[in-house]
């Protein structure tokens, strides 16, 4: 799929997110990389073979309120 020199990382490599952007739609929350990987705003991914990579962003801190 990639025609860049040097070639972008493949979709099954550990550094797949380093591939070049082909399409970027921040209003919809996703981007398509040259290697066929769909990146989502929540850091989740959809690989070309249909495999889903769960989001990796840290959970937001929650505040615990205790009664005095």
């Amino acid at each position: 799929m990639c025609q860049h020199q040097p070639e972008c990382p493949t979709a099954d490599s550990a550094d797949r997110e380093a591939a070049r952007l082909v399409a970027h739609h921040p209003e919809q929350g996703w981007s398509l990389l040259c290697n066929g990987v769909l990146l989502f705003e929540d850091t989740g991914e959809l690989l070309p073979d249909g495999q889903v990579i769960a989001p990796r962003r840290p959970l937001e801190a929650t505040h615990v309120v205790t009664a005095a």
Side-chain angles (χ1 to χ4, degrees):
M1 188 180 258
C2 178
Q3 297 181 13
H4 302 112
Q5 291 301 324
E7 286 188 12
C8 292
T10 62
D12 59 349
S13 66
D15 61 344
R16 65 181 155 258
E17 294 175 10
R20 292 188 188 189
L21 282 174
V22 173
H24 181 60
H25 294 276
E27 71 283 358
Q28 296 176 355
W30 62 272
S31 298
L32 175 63
L33 300 181
C34 166
N35 56 10
V37 173
L38 273 173
L39 291 178
F40 295 96
E41 185 177 275
D42 68 356
T43 70
E45 301 174 17
L46 179 60
L47 304 185
D49 65 1
Q51 182 181 358
V52 174
I53 307 296
R56 295 178 308 283
R57 70 176 173 190
L59 297 174
E60 292 182 26
T62 57
H63 299 284
V64 178
V65 177
T66 56

